[in-house]
Amino acid sequence: MKRQTVRFTINGEARELAVYPNDLLLNVLRDQESLTGTKYGCGIGECGACTVQVDGAPTLSCLKLAVSVDGCKVVTIEGLAKGNQLDPVQEAFLDNSAVQCGFCTPGMVMMGRALLDEKPRPTEQEVRDHMRGSLCRCTGYASIVRAIMVAGEKAELS
Amino acid sequence: MSTTVKIPATHLETGSRQVGRPLERIDAKGKAVGSTRYAGDYVMPDMLHAKVLRSTVASANLRRLDVTKARALPGVVCVLTGADVPKHMVSTDIPGQTGSWGQNTGQPILVHDRVRYFGEPLALIASESRDIAERAMTLIEPEYEPLPGVFDPIEALKPEAPLVQGVGNVVASQMVRKGDVKHGFETADVIVERVYRTQFIEHAFLEPEVGLSWIDENDVINIHVSTQVIEHFRVVADAVGLPYNRVRIRGALVGGGFGGKEDVTVEIYLALLALATRRPVRLEYTREDSFVGHGKRHPFVMTYRTGVKNDGTITALEAKFIADAGAYVFLSPSVMVYAATAAPGPYKIDNLIADAKAVATNNMYTSAFRGFGAAQACVAYEQQMDEVAKAIGMDPVKFRRKNYMRAGDRTATGVVVPSAIWTEQCVDQAWTALGEPVEVSGPIKIGRGVAACLQGYGRLTSLHDTSEGWVGVERDGTVTVRSGVTDIGAGQVSALAQIAAEVLGVTLQDVAVYNSDSAVTPLAGTTTATRALYMTGNAIRQAAEAVRRRLAQRAAKAFNVPPDDIDMAFSKVFVADDPAQSMAFRDLVRICAAEGIHCSELAMFCAPFTEKLNPETGQGQVHPDFSYGAHAIELTVDTETGEITVIKSVGAHDVGRAINPAAVEGQIEGGAVQGQGYALSEEMIYKEGRLMTPSLSEYLIPTAMDVPQVKCIILESGSGLGPFGAKGIGEAALTPVAAAIANAVADAIGVRIAELPITPEKVVNALREKE
């Protein structure tokens, strides 16, 4: 197999990378770009721990070929905060104790961000429905759902 | 006895208190922004990638394992088989916890000649890339001679059953005898009997097993690994034949454990490959590797027989447990101790027989899982309590109230519990919190259930458990904590920081914790058995108090008052009755440092040490102490489809003292959901030993859509043996949930499904049979 060149932005920075046609976006982010915040949990799209945003849409990076993001904007968990200014979803995760082992957290935060971008004030049921593909084994989801709703409320107030 | 520091009332009033507040955990931010490095996030130059080749049969002789093609593949650096590690056995002992029943607890690191379960490791591969390692796996062709296997523990008990280990299939047993059961049943008005069954359960932590090993400049094998137990460095050293001080295990923040990272996982493989190649080696399990590769929760068959008087007094209990141990012993003996001694639950039953047997089969081996045998027992005793109440026509809560073990009563093993027993408060509050029932109609039926539990915290007292911790103060007024403890996600490390901050009158932000390194942090023991806060929290509290005493003595001299009059808060040291007389904490530290006053302390906390239980009677101390709690459930059942929807879920637990109430809520909420999965959807299915559910789309843990908001009721008796009167919550949060759900289903449909998980199919079948 021969490497191909792909050009895309990661967290706002333009990148030009040589990747194999079968390289997964998850592995490129983690191994080539050292962006280890995106997690491997299952490799087959069942757990959501690898969720990133591709052109604003939440995307399972373990199912996405790196060559397919040519020309796209990729945002990972590392790209959400602006310097020390956390994303409101991240803030809300901290304020609502929605982080335990933390392994699902990056994927959860990315999913929560995507929902609020679409729908700034979701109902609890909408949050739960949106998050159904992201698994957590520690929190029981209560604090995660709460955090996403609170982030929506706060954004509306400000 | 050293004096302990009480929280002065002034701390409560001024808000300087650190313990008891829902503070943001010190590990939370890194996790939320993605900067936390887990064990799988470390790489090294020149690193190799490893894979484990596993058996695809459950019972066979391994006749041939030809690895020549794999070794010849370009990029493959090393292939190891059982022939390369002939004498090395995985001793999964935590000394004293396994092996005392005369069984062969050892598992070959790699199969030599006999395969005993599906997924047993055959070979290790290290190569230049993951892809090459995967290709090399396909080039190894094992030749098996199939052997008859046994896949059901009851079958395995029959004399004609194939022997799994060649010495009889009972690998561990534990009996408990108390009072006169014959007399007890004779005086009963009603006797209720039922068999309850539970299933294989997978931990399904989000982070699969992973680690990185290398040999350093001092010839020490370093292993950076996701584990609950860094003290397996000794097990690794034994396995590879090195002195204990030449293996160093560094933990990392762990992406979930629940008992599944309590046994050794990838450590020995990593050590062998690093030794063989002299290069760094990384081994990361796929999800399927993880599902196939680590032990499960024991399935139990539990036969309960209870005698009761018409007034609700229990006169006798006979409980028999048969657990599937799978092909190797691992922690089965200890799980049997937990189960047998928890057989009556939090109830006073004077006439009692409990027998627990773990039986070898050619299924996956079973070992630790949150609740550790006591959780399975609760599934039985709390369903039985409902059935007995029903048999005598008594309200189930009222019936429980009549039989609770109370202060001064003796446990099943004859011990008076040293702390408060708040079962009644927990049950009453959880039950009341359900409030008004939701309205239903047509084929939808509503049901409610409650379950109480007791759960030991701290490891078995016969193990003589200890924990060490170090606290030091710096000249800028900051505090350093060093402890070997691993943080598996519950906030173990952050709780230590809160405790040190409380004792020394600083804030959480002033404390840095260095943890989980077997070579440089004081050995704190395992993060298992709901022991981290109890054991290591006490060690850190002791260390911090020793430092505080020395600092206070010096401050007392400065202010010309007795040391007891000195208080510390807001990073200031002052005279308690006259706060105007004060100095900055850091100034006091500087004075002490200049005068050679020792500003740090290494402390060791020892749990109660006891002998093993009397083998004939099971009498004696088992745990340092118990946590008591309850869970209440309201759910609906669609009687046409069998679908169950949990509407309300309430956990009420006496945690003694909530060091961090937000973290306690997290444990209760998470336990409620794990317990719901146990009750309704999760099952590792093995067919002739082969795993049929090797993915998260076949093994169904609850999603956000499957669960309600959990209501948490935290009670604080202040009576626990942990720091500031804390008990433990990690396991107790899960233990009563499944039984509460089973009771609610029975309440809804009027028929009991005594076999977990309670699937829609079982509901529909049970309703058909009822008609």
Side-chain angles (χ1 to χ4, degrees):
Chain A
M1 268 189 298
K2 270 176 64 176
R3 292 191 199 228
Q4 300 177 11
T5 301
V6 284
R7 294 175 189 83
F8 56 107
T9 69
I10 302 178
N11 301 329
E13 271 184 45
R15 309 293 295 166
E16 186 178 302
L17 300 176
V19 303
Y20 288 108
N22 65 346
D23 272 340
L24 296 165
L25 179 59
L26 171 68
N27 295 338
V28 169
L29 291 172
R30 287 181 56 84
D31 301 343
Q32 290 190 40
E33 293 296 299
S34 300
L35 292 168
T36 55
T38 303
K39 296 302 180 201
Y40 168 89
C42 70
I44 49 176
E46 294 172 347
C47 77
C50 68
T51 303
V52 299
Q53 283 180 15
V54 177
D55 288 344
T59 302
L60 296 166
S61 64
C62 78
L63 296 182
K64 191 86 179 162
L65 292 172
V67 289
S68 74
V69 301
D70 193 51
C72 296
K73 287 180 184 155
V74 174
V75 178
T76 70
I77 186 70
E78 291 92 343
L80 272 199
K82 306 280 175 274
N84 282 331
Q85 183 63 49
L86 301 192
D87 185 275
V89 176
Q90 292 170 318
E91 287 279 4
F93 267 62
L94 298 180
D95 293 344
N96 290 276
S97 305
V99 178
Q100 286 196 30
C101 90
F103 206 77
C104 74
T105 306
M108 291 284 182
V109 168
M110 297 308 283
M111 282 301 284
R113 178 72 266 152
L115 174 63
L116 295 181
D117 288 345
E118 283 278 303
K119 197 165 187 4
R121 286 298 306 275
T123 64
E124 182 185 334
Q125 205 50 35
E126 286 166 340
V127 174
R128 287 182 179 276
D129 189 34
H130 179 79
M131 304 299 287
R132 68 193 309 165
S134 296
L135 298 178
C136 171
R137 194 58 159 166
C138 299
T139 66
Y141 304 104
S143 52
I144 292 171
V145 172
R146 208 158 48 222
I148 292 168
M149 295 182 69
V150 166
E153 284 162 26
K154 279 204 174 158
E156 194 183 64
L157 290 174
S158 61
Chain B
M1 280 286 288
S2 64
T3 55
T4 53
V5 180
K6 292 193 180 68
I7 301 169
T10 51
H11 287 206
L12 303 175
E13 287 153 16
T14 59
S16 73
R17 188 176 171 189
Q18 298 294 298
V19 158
R21 292 171 59 196
L23 301 177
E24 183 187 311
R25 281 165 40 178
I26 59 176
D27 56 318
K29 189 176 169 194
K31 291 171 172 177
V33 303
S35 64
T36 297
R37 296 220 182 253
Y38 294 83
D41 298 335
Y42 290 93
V43 292
M44 287 189 99
D46 206 28
M47 180 180 86
L48 296 170
H49 298 265
K51 292 291 281 183
V52 183
L53 180 75
R54 295 173 180 278
S55 75
T56 52
V57 296
S59 181
N61 283 326
L62 180 64
R63 292 173 64 163
R64 199 154 161 271
L65 188 67
D66 188 350
V67 298
T68 45
K69 280 188 207 158
R71 279 187 175 138
L73 183 71
V76 169
V77 176
C78 176
V79 179
L80 298 178
T81 70
D84 303 305
V85 282
K87 290 177 188 160
H88 301 149
M89 307 289 273
V90 178
S91 112
T92 49
D93 285 2
I94 294 173
Q97 209 165 339
T98 49
S100 23
W101 278 262
Q103 298 294 324
N104 173 15
T105 64
Q107 177 184 359
I109 296 165
L110 299 170
V111 169
H112 299 159
D113 44 21
R114 175 80 160 91
V115 173
R116 294 190 175 88
Y117 68 91
F118 171 85
E120 193 160 2
L122 302 176
L124 306 175
I125 299 163
S127 65
E128 300 290 350
S129 78
R130 264 187 296 229
D131 287 353
I132 294 169
E134 272 167 31
R135 225 174 314 143
M137 299 242 286
T138 65
L139 298 177
I140 301 177
E141 283 173 27
E143 275 179 41
Y144 302 108
E145 175 197 347
L147 293 173
V150 59
F151 304 100
D152 177 287
I154 299 196
E155 291 297 314
L157 283 173
K158 292 180 179 166
E160 68 274 21
L163 291 178
V164 177
Q165 293 270 2
V167 285
N169 286 333
V170 176
V171 300
S173 57
Q174 178 65 51
M175 56 169 86
V176 176
R177 298 285 181 274
K178 188 183 181 190
D180 181 347
V181 169
K182 187 163 170 282
H183 175 74
F185 279 117
E186 280 166 7
T187 55
D189 294 320
V190 179
I191 294 173
V192 175
E193 182 169 345
R194 171 82 78 173
V195 180
Y196 306 94
R197 289 169 197 269
T198 63
Q199 72 279 40
F200 281 99
I201 290 283
E202 157 61 35
H203 308 80
F205 32 72
L206 262 283
E207 176 201 37
E209 294 88 331
V210 63
L212 171 68
S213 64
W214 70 96
I215 298 171
D216 71 17
E217 60 282 6
N218 298 315
D219 252 357
V220 172
I221 297 186
N222 286 252
I223 306 172
H224 214 139
V225 64
S226 172
T227 180
Q228 296 177 232
V229 183
I230 60 169
E231 281 160 58
H232 285 319
F233 72 89
R234 300 187 186 105
V235 175
V236 176
D238 280 339
V240 301
L242 282 176
Y244 289 174
N245 62 1
R246 297 288 159 182
V247 176
R248 175 181 186 179
I249 294 191
R250 306 175 184 207
L253 286 166
V254 178
F258 316 113
K261 294 171 184 168
E262 177 168 341
D263 296 312
V264 167
T265 61
V266 295
E267 296 95 317
I268 294 174
Y269 309 142
L270 283 169
L272 287 168
L273 290 170
L275 278 172
T277 64
R278 309 299 291 188
R279 285 173 66 178
V281 183
R282 181 176 187 271
L283 173 54
E284 177 178 46
Y285 280 4
T286 64
R287 176 58 58 184
E288 185 170 345
D289 290 337
S290 177
F291 272 27
V292 172
H294 69 247
K296 308 302 165 202
R297 186 195 287 286
H298 293 72
F300 271 49
V301 179
M302 302 178 279
T303 308
Y304 263 64
R305 190 161 165 258
T306 306
V308 64
K309 284 184 183 291
N310 285 327
D311 70 357
T313 310
I314 298 173
T315 60
L317 169 66
E318 189 178 66
K320 293 197 168 150
F321 303 108
I322 294 174
D324 190 338
Y328 292 94
V329 176
F330 286 83
L331 296 175
S332 286
S334 300
V335 172
M336 293 307 103
V337 174
Y338 269 65
T341 59
Y347 303 102
K348 180 177 182 285
I349 301 178
D350 293 330
N351 302 308
L352 168 75
I353 284 180
D355 279 309
K357 277 191 177 67
V359 184
T361 66
N362 294 104
N363 289 323
M364 184 60 192
Y365 65 83
T366 46
S367 194
F369 197 127
R370 193 179 191 179
F372 206 83
Q376 286 94 325
C378 186
V379 170
Y381 64 71
E382 277 301 73
Q383 292 196 77
Q384 178 91 154
M385 288 301 283
D386 260 30
E387 294 201 83
V388 174
K390 193 175 175 189
I392 58 169
M394 196 181 257
D395 171 78
V397 173
K398 196 176 158 202
F399 171 60
R400 284 177 171 79
R401 195 176 295 138
K402 194 166 173 64
N403 290 287
Y404 291 134
M405 196 169 66
R406 297 178 191 275
D409 290 340
R410 289 184 183 274
T411 65
T413 66
V415 172
V416 175
V417 173
S419 65
I421 304 174
W422 279 14
T423 318
E424 180 169 5
Q425 289 91 324
C426 292
V427 170
D428 288 355
Q429 292 207 27
W431 191 241
T432 307
L434 289 179
E436 289 298 310
V438 296
E439 285 186 20
V440 293
S441 59
I444 310 292
K445 304 291 177 202
I446 188 168
R448 286 180 162 196
V450 71
C453 77
L454 86 174
Q455 181 79 43
Y457 63 89
R459 291 170 69 208
L460 299 173
T461 49
S462 57
L463 298 174
H464 297 195
D465 196 17
T466 62
S467 185
E468 290 182 56
W470 185 96
V471 174
V473 290
E474 262 305 329
R475 292 165 201 199
D476 60 354
T478 59
V479 174
T480 302
V481 170
R482 296 198 175 102
S483 163
V485 75
T486 54
D487 190 317
I488 62 170
Q492 282 87 0
V493 160
S494 204
L496 300 184
Q498 257 179 295
I499 290 163
E502 177 71 48
V503 173
L504 292 166
V506 299
T507 61
L508 195 56
Q509 289 69 36
D510 297 318
V511 184
V513 183
Y514 297 85
N515 72 304
S516 197
D517 184 328
S518 71
V520 300
T521 54
L523 295 178
T526 63
T527 299
T528 68
T530 311
R531 76 176 278 290
L533 177 65
Y534 160 52
M535 296 292 297
T536 310
N538 273 333
I540 292 302
R541 185 180 178 175
Q542 283 179 8
E545 285 174 352
V547 172
R548 180 187 160 114
R549 272 195 299 277
R550 287 198 285 271
L551 294 178
Q553 237 160 25
R554 183 61 188 84
K557 207 167 111 190
F559 297 128
N560 203 17
V561 295
D564 283 355
D565 290 3
I566 297 294
D567 200 358
M568 298 180 190
F570 295 113
S571 296
K572 281 195 163 59
V573 182
F574 52 92
V575 178
D577 295 335
D578 182 12
Q581 290 202 68
S582 78
M583 71 170 100
F585 182 69
R586 63 165 181 237
D587 291 340
L588 176 60
V589 177
R590 283 178 185 155
I591 292 169
C592 291
E595 295 177 5
I597 295 169
H598 192 188
C599 292
S600 67
E601 179 77 6
L602 174 64
M604 179 192 249
F605 178 76
C606 299
F609 289 6
T610 66
E611 299 299 310
K612 286 196 169 165
L613 297 180
N614 179 319
E616 304 294 318
T617 65
Q619 294 295 296
Q621 186 165 358
V622 186
H623 304 287
D625 190 22
F626 295 92
S627 292
Y628 296 89
H631 208 88
I633 290 285
E634 181 175 304
L635 51 72
T636 59
V637 182
D638 184 328
T639 51
E640 286 175 353
T641 65
E643 190 187 2
I644 296 167
T645 307
V646 177
I647 309 284
K648 296 175 193 166
S649 183
V650 186
H653 293 269
D654 171 23
V655 300
R657 182 77 64 214
I659 302 297
N660 184 332
V664 172
E665 283 181 8
Q667 288 300 298
I668 295 174
E669 289 167 350
V673 168
Q674 243 176 43
Q676 181 174 327
Y678 191 17
L680 298 179
S681 62
E682 294 180 30
E683 182 171 21
M684 281 310 236
I685 298 171
Y686 293 89
K687 198 169 168 188
E688 300 281 290
R690 172 187 287 267
L691 178 61
M692 307 307 285
T693 52
S695 73
L696 288 162
S697 59
E698 291 149 304
Y699 184 83
L700 301 175
I701 70 172
T703 73
M705 279 297 279
D706 301 321
V707 297
Q709 286 282 351
V710 176
K711 186 173 171 58
C712 305
I713 300 172
I714 300 175
L715 304 178
E716 296 184 272
S717 65
S719 68
L721 305 182
F724 303 98
K727 293 192 168 190
I729 183 63
E731 291 174 284
L734 175 135
T735 296
V737 180
I741 290 174
N743 286 341
V745 172
D747 181 50
I749 63 173
V751 48
R752 182 159 297 272
I753 298 162
E755 180 183 297
L756 302 186
I758 305 172
T759 57
E761 187 184 2
K762 286 182 194 166
V763 170
V764 169
N765 286 340
L767 285 168
R768 273 195 203 132
E769 271 175 38
K770 187 184 162 196
E771 284 161 14

